[in-house]
Amino acid sequence: MSMKDITSREDVEFLVQAFYGRIVKDDLIGFFFTDVAKIDLNLHLPKMYNFWESILLGNPVYEGQPMAKHFPINDIAAMEEKHFNRWLQVWERTVHENFEGHNAENAITRALNIARIMHHKMKSVR
Ligand code: HEM
């Protein structure tokens, strides 16, 4: 059965919700969200929707500093390669279970590139 691509805000919200449903319960990296940053999903999720809508749909609705937000987390608990790998693995699985197409592939590629840069920056400050 063929699946649709990520083409709307609704699709972005669905994807991000599915990803966070998994990531906050993840045995390796869930604690960054629940114990280290203690995120309020009601505040955090809309930022993630905006972030991915900007990247995937080209609507410049995200205003923020995604890199800067991760440094205080890394100060408390080191964000290491195994953590980035798990983040990417869960992201890729969630994308592929729900969508296929150009934007779906772009979601995976962009996450990989951002994760590489982020990890590189983390290593240089620890
Ligand atoms: C091990 C990997 C990662 C962990 C544990 C992690 C964890 C977190 C946490 C806990 C926050 C909330 C920070 C706060 O509000 O105080 C956050 C925010 C965010 N993360 Fe990550 N993250 C990871 C990787 C990534 C990657 C690869 C991306 C992009 C593809 C990303 C994009 C974002 C964005 C856009 C925000 C919101 C920033 C804002 O508030 O404007 N993260 N992350």
Side-chain angles (χ1 to χ4, degrees):
M1 205 189 79
S2 77
M3 288 179 286
K4 70 187 289 297
D5 201 357
I6 302 162
T7 58
S8 66
R9 170 76 178 198
E10 196 182 19
D11 293 339
V12 170
E13 293 190 5
F14 183 89
L15 173 63
V16 170
Q17 282 169 22
F19 175 71
Y20 270 84
R22 283 179 173 154
I23 216 73
V24 297
K25 287 184 259 162
D26 187 87
D27 60 349
L28 189 64
I29 63 172
F31 79 98
F32 283 109
F33 298 87
T34 56
D35 299 350
V36 177
K38 298 186 174 69
I39 56 161
D40 178 346
L41 283 176
N42 293 319
L43 299 176
H44 180 65
L45 288 184
K47 290 179 188 163
M48 300 311 292
Y49 303 151
N50 288 345
F51 176 76
W52 285 109
E53 181 179 344
S54 298
I55 290 182
L56 299 177
L57 306 182
N59 305 326
V61 290
Y62 175 74
E63 287 181 4
Q65 305 280 346
M67 291 298 166
K69 281 275 177 170
H70 295 83
F71 285 104
I73 299 165
N74 182 56
D75 289 342
I76 298 169
M79 291 171 66
E80 296 171 349
E81 183 162 24
K82 64 182 177 189
H83 301 122
F84 285 103
N85 286 345
R86 178 64 64 86
W87 193 107
L88 290 165
Q89 190 182 52
V90 175
W91 180 249
E92 183 171 342
R93 180 155 77 96
T94 310
V95 171
H96 278 157
E97 278 179 12
N98 295 289
F99 297 99
E100 70 184 11
H102 174 80
N103 289 346
E105 290 316 305
N106 199 27
I108 291 165
T109 307
R110 291 298 297 271
L112 180 61
N113 290 338
I114 294 165
R116 281 200 185 121
I117 294 165
M118 204 183 278
H119 184 213
H120 184 74
K121 288 175 188 261
M122 307 274 106
K123 277 193 288 195
S124 64
V125 293
R126 276 193 82 95

